[in-house]
Amino acid sequence: MSACPSKRTHRWLWLCLLAIILIASSLSAGASRSFAVYLTPWTARTALPQLLDSAAAASVGDWLFVIGGRDAQGNSLAAVRRTRINVDGSIGAWQTLVNALPKGLYGHTATVSNHRIYVIGGYASGAYERAVYVASVNPTDGSLSAWQATAALPVGQERMTHAAVATGEHIYVLGGYRVSAALNTVCRARIQANGMLANWSCAQTLPSTLYRLGAVAVDNAVYVVGGRPSPSDSPSRKIHRATIQPDGNLGAWTNLGDLLPDGRADAVTVQDQGRLFVIGGITNGATSANTVYVFALGSPTTYLGLGRVLPAPRHRASGVFSARHGVYVIGGLNAAAQQNTVYQALAEWSEWLPIVRRESTPTPPGHPRPRTPTRTPTRTPTPTRTPTHTPTNTPTPINTPTPTTTASVTLTLTPTNTPTPQRRSPRDEHDDTNHRQTTRRRQPPHPTDTPPGEHADANHDGDADRPQVWYHNLDPDSHGDVYRHADPYSDANHTA
């Protein structure tokens, strides 16, 4: 009579099968796993010398600049302030530079290419601006040249509260606000060898009118984030994407969907190595936010979750990502109150969080792809048996008769004890290996940890060439009762 397997045997078989399935699935998923970037807790850094919002910010090497903005009386500012970023991300005292803007501006944008800062559009002295200014930065000492006027936006394309990105040989200006309506035009200018801009072309458009939007450029594509279609509309939850063509034009826009958990306008929007951070802003409820949304850019673009919240809500703040020092959020508004705070957070790397594989589009010069760490299995040494030395018996000399007149000495050779090496236990054999495994935790990246050539500085701007976008989204629908004079920023029907 054959014996039937017991219930206990069946249970063990099912458990073994389940374990095999789990191990196989984890191994197959290993190829699509990598390190996901988040942010460390925010740290308050040296505050600005005055309250302001709607300024522009830029970083070149270890230097941080805040350009223009609006003061508590609603005046547009021409001042340019600079501070040095220390190794730990802290900043020194703010200095007001001699080379101010040619005129006061707010609602403008600033972007950097090849040691040069480009300031585009904005609002000044009761008029919407189409002027574009450029100044060079010495990355060693942070000195700034005098501002020069370069090719202005075309007549009729004056704007404020737009977004701007610099990538490759071109600068793109997207959306914005002019007179009494939001814009959908996209203007493009080529950066010439001397740093001046060629004439602008504004033939392309966004899928809809948008102002107070954010934009970043990464992996040969431009992404547009949030914004407001019109003063009567709530902030958008959409993200759009367009591929940069070989001639510099943008391809057709793709609507990636309502990816933002809540609509956002006037947010700080920056990216690092394909990770998008949407920081603060105005919500659908017309209130300032302190939340941070994190996305993996690519095809598809995926929402990764919430990042660490700001210490306080902010909108219309200036923002910049420094490759060596992290994110800086500067000034802005908390509800109707202007701020002079500076918050900074470093990029934080968490191991083995699933992220989306980005499509293999050609990477333009100056935009290196991040390294994907590879786990190298550590081989555990097999304990080897250590031979034990066994002493041989040494014969004792035989006593021979000696004459009675001579003293006899009997010499006995006693073998010395040879210490036997202790055999290491299997646990001892694995101690070093276990130590190596526990110390393989990935630490936050540091400039000195980067292999030569990993982040090429093709633009020679003293910083690793990742697209840095600074846009300072504001609009004519401000709190009219906050400032002492009525201006196009006010909108009695809109409290945001």
Side-chain angles (χ1 to χ4, degrees), residues 113-454:
S113 178
N114 196 25
H115 293 177
R116 298 182 179 94
I117 303 176
Y118 296 84
V119 172
I120 305 166
Y123 187 83
S125 304
Y128 296 90
E129 287 293 322
R130 65 186 188 94
V132 179
Y133 303 108
V134 58
S136 298
V137 177
N138 183 332
T140 303
D141 60 12
S143 58
L144 183 74
S145 71
W147 294 93
Q148 293 179 276
T150 185
L153 294 168
V155 175
Q157 296 297 328
E158 306 87 355
R159 65 189 70 199
M160 63 185 299
T161 68
H162 50 282
V165 298
T167 177
E169 297 180 348
H170 296 87
I171 293 178
Y172 301 85
V173 173
L174 306 102
Y177 196 93
R178 174 180 176 269
V179 186
S180 59
L183 303 174
N184 67 344
T185 50
V186 177
C187 297
R188 173 179 61 88
R190 186 174 61 84
I191 304 172
Q192 301 180 103
N194 61 358
M196 306 302 281
L197 299 181
N199 290 332
W200 293 85
S201 168
C202 301
Q204 296 186 285
T205 60
L206 293 168
S208 67
T209 57
L210 277 178
Y211 71 112
R212 299 168 61 185
L213 67 159
V216 297
V218 62
D219 275 1
N220 211 29
V222 175
Y223 295 80
V224 168
V225 183
R228 179 170 273 167
S230 74
S232 60
D233 290 321
S234 297
S236 172
R237 295 176 52 203
K238 297 184 183 299
I239 297 179
H240 291 87
R241 177 183 186 274
T243 302
I244 302 173
Q245 305 300 312
D247 61 359
N249 284 316
L250 298 180
W253 289 96
T254 301
N255 182 1
L256 303 181
D258 294 340
L259 298 183
L260 293 168
D262 192 14
R264 282 291 183 273
D266 281 337
V268 169
T269 307
V270 295
Q271 75 86 27
D272 176 53
Q273 298 189 76
R275 296 296 172 268
L276 171 69
F277 301 92
V278 182
I279 304 167
I282 283 286
T283 69
N284 283 329
T287 57
S288 297
N290 65 346
T291 49
V292 178
Y293 299 142
V294 186
F295 296 84
L297 297 175
S299 183
T301 292
T302 305
Y303 175 57
L304 295 179
L306 289 172
R308 299 180 190 272
V309 299
L310 285 169
R314 290 290 182 271
H315 70 283
R316 294 182 190 164
S318 308
V320 65
F321 193 99
S322 169
R324 289 193 283 270
H325 310 102
V327 183
Y328 291 83
V329 176
I330 304 164
L333 295 170
N334 183 356
Q338 283 185 316
Q339 306 294 320
N340 66 344
T341 54
V342 178
Y343 296 129
Q344 177 255 350
L346 291 169
E348 184 180 59
W349 296 71
S350 300
E351 266 194 299
W352 302 107
L353 295 177
I355 62 173
V356 178
R357 189 194 303 274
R358 305 218 301 274
E359 65 180 5
S360 57
T361 54
T363 304
H367 299 277
R369 290 186 181 272
R371 286 180 298 163
T372 301
T374 304
R375 283 184 176 271
T376 303
T378 305
R379 192 171 179 180
T380 304
T382 305
T384 57
R385 185 180 299 274
T386 304
T388 305
H389 176 69
T390 305
T392 58
N393 292 330
T394 305
T396 304
I398 302 174
N399 292 335
T400 55
T402 30
T404 57
T405 56
T406 307
S408 66
V409 177
T410 303
L411 186 61
T412 304
L413 298 178
T414 305
T416 57
N417 292 330
T418 304
T420 302
Q422 299 261 345
R423 182 182 171 186
R424 297 181 74 184
S425 67
R427 178 180 180 84
D428 296 331
E429 294 291 346
H430 290 286
D431 281 348
D432 292 342
T433 301
N434 291 334
H435 178 69
R436 284 194 294 271
Q437 288 177 345
T438 56
T439 56
R440 281 171 58 83
R441 267 174 136 23
R442 180 70 181 267
Q443 300 298 323
H446 187 274
T448 58
D449 299 333
T450 305
E454 178 64 25

